[in-house]
Amino acid sequence: MTTASNDLSATPTSPTAPVPNANALDQEAARLGPGGALAPEADGEAYRRRMQRRQEVQRQRVGERNLEKGLVLVFTGDGKGKTTAALGLVLRTLGHGEQVAVVQFIKGGWQPGEARALEMFGEALHWHALGEGFTWETQDRERDRELVQQAWQTSLTYLEDPGRKLVVLDEVNVALKLGYLAVEQVLDGLERRPPLTHVALTGRGAPPALVERADLVTEMRLVRHPFREQGVKAQAGIEF
């Protein structure tokens, strides 16, 4: 039986893929990997040395990254979880005692469970569901456009408010895709934010200009869906 070399520099392959545009520390972290069964060492002592080195590299990476700024976070893609991800940020931010605003474009035909659950935070959370439902429900393009523009004006009041740590623009990407809102409006609004205000934008089909502007972009990919494959209806606690 062959054993792995104890020399970390001799490891021919890295357990994780290199990070694009990574600096030397990022590349070293990727080469060392996260450990566990992915590490090639066969004995405990060699593994411990690898993880000690990984700890050192991580401390250096964290130490050199000390910039603080308001982030633009985009959650898009055809899979579930976009609004859920943004609302996780809402809960986290409220938990730190900060103020949050949620403006829902398109949605508005029902009160989601999250809105009721978060009522306990009172004035720390301002929630606006300003749509009237999906296009096939409203069937009035001009009315939809008018409501989206009204929602955008509401959004601007929060984007410009230094008291709001996080602003969530839920389904704004859909409003952009449908042509009810111009991407230039959104990009201009993002520039009006105070330096430390975060904004999360959700919905399918985020336009390239918004993706390019964002600090973080996560694309949810649909693999399976109970509605499509099994005929399961939207259920409380899962979809709303």
Side-chain angles (χ1 to χ4, degrees):
M1 182 180 69
T2 59
T3 59
S5 169
N6 290 344
D7 183 1
L8 297 183
S9 63
T11 304
T13 58
S14 60
T16 58
V19 180
N21 303 319
N23 65 19
L25 286 173
D26 293 328
Q27 293 172 356
E28 177 70 352
R31 185 187 70 80
L32 292 166
L38 298 175
E41 285 78 13
D43 67 277
E45 181 59 27
Y47 176 79
R48 187 181 64 81
R49 285 198 295 271
R50 173 180 287 273
M51 290 299 98
Q52 282 183 335
R53 174 58 181 156
R54 181 67 176 81
Q55 183 183 55
E56 294 170 1
V57 170
Q58 187 64 19
R59 285 174 176 168
Q60 292 179 62
R61 294 174 76 208
V62 172
E64 72 176 18
R65 289 165 168 84
N66 53 19
L67 177 65
E68 186 176 3
K69 59 174 285 190
L71 299 176
V72 175
L73 309 104
V74 172
F75 300 105
T76 191
D78 59 2
K80 282 180 60 59
K82 299 178 286 293
T83 296
T84 302
L87 294 181
L89 295 176
V90 168
L91 186 60
R92 183 175 294 166
T93 304
L94 290 170
H96 284 287
E98 302 285 357
Q99 296 188 19
V100 177
V102 177
V103 179
Q104 290 191 298
F105 296 73
I106 311 299
K107 295 175 182 175
W110 67 90
Q111 185 185 33
E114 298 97 335
R116 291 194 293 269
L118 294 171
E119 287 178 352
M120 62 179 292
F121 288 98
E123 284 299 302
L125 173 63
H126 286 189
W127 187 297
H128 302 270
L130 299 178
E132 291 182 342
F134 301 112
T135 52
W136 54 87
E137 295 168 338
T138 60
Q139 302 172 19
D140 187 335
R141 185 163 49 199
E142 291 310 310
R143 173 65 175 168
D144 290 344
R145 190 189 309 276
E146 178 184 337
L147 288 172
V148 164
Q149 289 297 325
Q150 291 176 5
W152 178 245
Q153 292 305 311
T154 299
S155 301
L156 284 177
T157 64
Y158 290 116
L159 289 171
E160 297 173 356
D161 181 2
R164 297 286 157 176
K165 185 67 173 181
L166 171 67
V167 179
V168 173
L169 306 179
D170 187 41
E171 301 289 2
V172 69
N173 295 336
V174 176
L176 287 165
K177 183 178 180 179
L178 294 174
Y180 296 157
L181 189 64
V183 68
E184 290 79 12
Q185 289 179 272
V186 175
L187 294 177
D188 177 68
L190 295 177
E191 294 307 311
R192 301 190 192 188
R193 294 173 302 135
L196 296 180
T197 297
H198 306 304
V199 57
L201 307 95
T202 79
R204 298 183 181 211
L210 179 58
V211 170
E212 180 65 25
R213 170 62 185 84
D215 299 290
L216 179 147
V217 179
T218 298
E219 183 172 1
M220 311 296 186
R221 184 171 68 88
L222 178 62
V223 178
R224 293 181 62 84
H225 198 295
F227 178 85
R228 185 180 65 180
E229 279 94 20
Q230 302 175 50
V232 178
K233 70 177 184 178
Q235 300 178 91
I238 301 298
E239 276 78 23
F240 59 91

